Amino acid sequence: MMSKFMMSCEESRHICDKAQYQEASTWEKIKFKCHLFICKVCKQHTITNSKLTLLIDKIKTSTLTSSEKEQLKSSFNKELQNHQ
Amino acid sequence: MPNHKINPNQWIDLYSDYLFNYTITRVNDRAKAQDLISETFLAGLNSMKNFKGEASERTWLVSILKRKIIDHYRKTNSNKGKAEVRMSYNSDSETEGDWLEQRVADPFDKTAEDQIENTELADAINECLSKLPKKQAKIFEMKTILNYETETICNELEITASNLWVIIHRARVAMASCLEKNWF
């Protein structure tokens, strides 16, 4: 029974990455939490990984990506040429 | 009073990030925010002759954008058949027709510090991203910043899902250690 809850650090980090993109299943999350309870190294990794997600979310929501900006520029330049 | 000049050739480079940031905090929908900015630039282009040069270009564009955002919510409300939006904050006939927003302090306005911090963070992230191997950076950007589905990236780059997660893991570890000094 206990073995069902056990996982390696490698597996735990994989689930931690998936969880950053909301792609971890409920069962994976339960096993992951159990692992964090006994593994300080993975716990620290999880804190750092989540912090990275927070930082990326901060810029993701506040700036345009370069491809979005290019798209905006090309459609605006067309209008600008028609206008001149 | 300073007489500001208008130059639409530089609008996208100079103001698109600021306007996007301004919009996304108000409409909370990336695609809608881009549409609103695009409409704002077009409206600005079509009403360039009304620009008197009393305010800066950015202030002028923001005042157009504010109208667009209000129109967006008005449209959403009427689409849903909800109550009509009527705003009459000022009945002074002399100022009728002036931008309402210019007379009301906006409590949700972003401060200069927020702007600077976000710009610095974006620069730091881009710099760290440029230090990653090309393929790793591309996959990380597609997955994390552009929110592509795992399956889409795998199909496009012809890699397996497990391969993708290994690359993402390496990229995340590298990005975290790169940003750790100043941002963690």
Side-chain angles (χ1 to χ4, degrees):
Chain A
M1 179 65 191
M2 272 306 282
S3 65
K4 280 190 178 176
F5 287 94
M6 300 302 267
M7 62 162 66
S8 65
C9 290
E10 196 184 340
E11 198 184 341
S12 140
R13 286 171 194 207
H14 174 54
I15 294 173
C16 179
D17 288 332
K18 279 168 80 177
Q20 305 306 315
Y21 304 94
Q22 283 78 46
E23 289 184 31
S25 68
T26 312
W27 176 238
E28 281 176 326
K29 280 189 223 166
I30 294 168
K31 285 205 299 180
F32 174 60
K33 292 276 178 198
C34 290
H35 181 82
L36 289 193
F37 198 66
I38 53 163
C39 181
K40 278 188 179 172
V41 180
C42 285
K43 195 170 184 180
Q44 184 53 47
H45 169 78
T46 306
I47 293 169
T48 313
N49 210 8
S50 309
K51 181 81 200 220
L52 178 68
T53 303
L54 276 179
L55 288 179
I56 303 265
D57 281 349
K58 217 171 174 183
I59 66 143
K60 201 162 70 179
T61 52
S62 60
T63 54
L64 287 163
T65 64
S66 50
S67 59
E68 286 168 340
K69 205 182 269 188
E70 278 309 312
Q71 213 175 346
L72 189 64
K73 202 182 255 183
S74 73
S75 64
F76 181 69
N77 282 346
K78 270 182 208 159
E79 290 294 329
L80 196 59
Q81 276 170 0
N82 291 340
H83 205 264
Q84 282 167 347
Chain B
M1 190 171 280
N3 197 16
H4 297 276
K5 296 264 184 303
I6 196 159
N7 180 9
N9 291 310
Q10 289 192 313
W11 282 356
I12 307 283
D13 288 328
L14 294 177
Y15 311 121
S16 60
D17 276 334
Y18 181 86
L19 297 185
F20 181 73
N21 191 4
Y22 187 93
T23 317
I24 196 78
T25 52
R26 285 159 179 82
V27 300
N28 205 20
D29 177 335
R30 215 175 161 82
K32 192 70 226 171
Q34 285 175 54
D35 288 348
L36 288 171
I37 296 174
S38 180
E39 285 171 24
T40 301
F41 285 135
L42 290 184
L45 199 58
N46 291 329
S47 53
M48 259 165 51
K49 56 181 184 303
N50 298 334
F51 181 76
K52 293 173 191 150
E54 288 166 5
S56 71
E57 259 183 334
R58 194 178 80 174
T59 309
W60 183 68
L61 287 168
V62 168
S63 67
I64 298 174
L65 178 60
K66 283 177 176 176
R67 275 281 142 190
K68 296 279 173 201
I69 294 172
I70 290 173
D71 285 347
H72 158 67
Y73 278 113
R74 203 168 274 165
K75 231 181 267 175
T76 317
N77 266 350
S78 64
N79 283 347
K80 287 180 184 165
K82 284 187 178 168
E84 194 179 338
V85 179
R86 278 180 191 276
M87 285 199 253
S88 176
Y89 288 69
N90 194 331
S91 56
D92 186 354
S93 61
E94 211 172 284
T95 53
E96 208 175 17
D98 278 1
W99 295 114
L100 164 72
E101 297 75 29
Q102 285 174 354
R103 285 180 267 128
V104 182
D106 186 346
F108 302 109
D109 216 2
K110 288 249 168 190
T111 63
E113 284 79 13
D114 286 337
Q115 287 295 332
I116 291 167
E117 193 187 308
N118 276 345
T119 315
E120 281 179 357
L121 177 60
D123 288 347
I125 287 175
N126 283 332
E127 203 191 319
C128 290
L129 210 53
S130 69
K131 287 179 189 163
L132 296 182
K134 260 191 181 165
K135 194 178 178 188
Q136 227 178 68
K138 187 177 181 186
I139 292 174
F140 180 80
E141 195 176 1
M142 285 170 93
K143 182 79 185 141
T144 316
I145 301 176
L146 300 172
N147 288 341
Y148 279 41
E149 295 289 334
T150 303
E151 207 184 324
T152 315
I153 304 173
C154 289
N155 289 340
E156 202 166 305
L157 302 177
E158 292 174 345
I159 54 172
T160 63
S162 58
N163 206 338
L164 174 130
W165 285 112
V166 170
I167 293 170
I168 289 287
H169 180 71
R170 287 181 187 158
R172 291 189 72 90
V173 170
M175 287 295 288
S177 86
C178 177
L179 290 166
E180 199 163 22
K181 201 178 162 194
N182 292 325
W183 295 94
F184 276 40

